[in-house]
Amino acid sequence: NQLKAIRAGGFQTVFVRDITSLISQSNHTGNPCVLTFDDGYDDFYYWAFPLLKKYQTKGTIYIIYNFIGRKGYMTESQIKEVITSGLVELGAHTLNHAYLKDIKDDLAWKEIYDSKLLLEKRFDVSVPSFAYPFGAFTKDTVELVRKAGYTNAVSVVPGILQSDSNEFFLFRIRPGYINVNNFAKSLE
């Protein structure tokens, strides 16, 4: 129902990587909307991905690198399939779903940087975006994400308006918190 509402509302789905360029354009056309999916659960492959294909909508999936192939998570071949569809962008979500606010910078760096490096090598794609596990980040974590070469990062801070002042903690709306009848209106 939410995908139908996005389409009926005239929204155009884009990848998270597109947000940075959209922010820098003063007069971009269309009504961009981003769909994000965290963790890399296999229900994305079985439930969400078929709907993305049905409605020809794009989404960004944030993968926990060391969880690939674990019970309940997508396999390498499933991830490759969704990436090659052209409808799914790959983003990093650390190596182990680390709570970045409570770990030392050297371990946070490894979780942030190595997840990007390993995903890019394994799937032969660019990984420009990062999602903070549990939405937890500090000023230092933001700097580590920037230093690791990401162009942006998503948080769980509620909101829809993005700017260059929050490119490394982009706002998101959890879809279950909005009534489907008001979904498209809430994005306006």
Side-chain angles (χ1 to χ4, degrees):
N1 288 336
Q2 290 171 343
L3 294 177
K4 287 178 186 176
I6 287 170
R7 178 169 270 177
F11 292 95
Q12 173 193 6
T13 55
V14 297
F15 295 127
V16 174
R17 70 175 176 235
D18 300 324
I19 293 175
T20 304
S21 63
L22 287 170
I23 289 171
S24 67
Q25 297 173 11
S26 58
N27 293 338
H28 63 78
T29 59
N31 211 355
C33 176
V34 178
L35 303 175
T36 60
F37 304 86
D38 289 4
D39 302 328
Y41 292 118
D42 62 2
D43 64 355
F44 172 83
Y45 180 79
Y46 295 115
W47 296 100
F49 183 52
L51 291 171
L52 293 179
K53 289 191 291 189
K54 178 179 179 178
Y55 293 101
Q56 287 298 291
T57 53
K58 295 179 180 179
T60 300
I61 185 163
Y62 291 100
I63 301 292
I64 305 165
Y65 186 80
N66 288 336
F67 290 15
I68 296 170
R70 286 189 185 178
K71 183 176 170 63
Y73 291 86
M74 291 195 309
T75 64
E76 181 174 342
S77 63
Q78 290 170 333
I79 294 169
K80 284 180 180 178
E81 182 182 340
V82 301
I83 293 169
T84 58
S85 72
L87 296 173
V88 179
E89 170 190 34
L90 188 63
H93 202 35
T94 70
L95 295 172
N96 300 294
H97 208 255
Y99 189 76
L100 297 172
K101 286 176 87 173
D102 288 347
I103 62 176
K104 294 183 181 190
D105 281 354
D106 60 336
L107 184 54
W109 172 254
K110 182 172 179 53
E111 289 281 338
I112 293 165
Y113 180 72
D114 286 5
S115 61
K116 175 180 176 53
L117 185 70
L118 292 170
L119 284 170
E120 288 179 338
K121 184 176 182 179
R122 188 170 186 173
F123 296 103
D124 195 28
V125 295
S126 173
V127 177
S129 184
F130 182 80
Y132 300 101
F134 311 102
F137 63 94
T138 65
K139 183 178 176 185
D140 291 338
T141 352
V142 168
E143 287 309 310
L144 290 174
V145 170
R146 187 186 318 268
K147 181 180 171 186
Y150 295 97
T151 58
N152 56 41
V154 297
S155 70
V156 294
V157 177
I160 61 169
L161 298 177
Q162 313 300 349
S163 74
D164 57 4
S165 67
N166 74 317
E167 285 179 314
F168 285 90
F169 55 94
L170 295 168
F171 305 135
R172 293 195 283 180
I173 299 173
R174 290 181 180 231
Y177 295 133
I178 299 173
N179 179 308
V180 173
N181 298 328
N182 298 327
F183 185 73
K185 183 152 180 68
S186 69
L187 295 178
E188 295 171 2

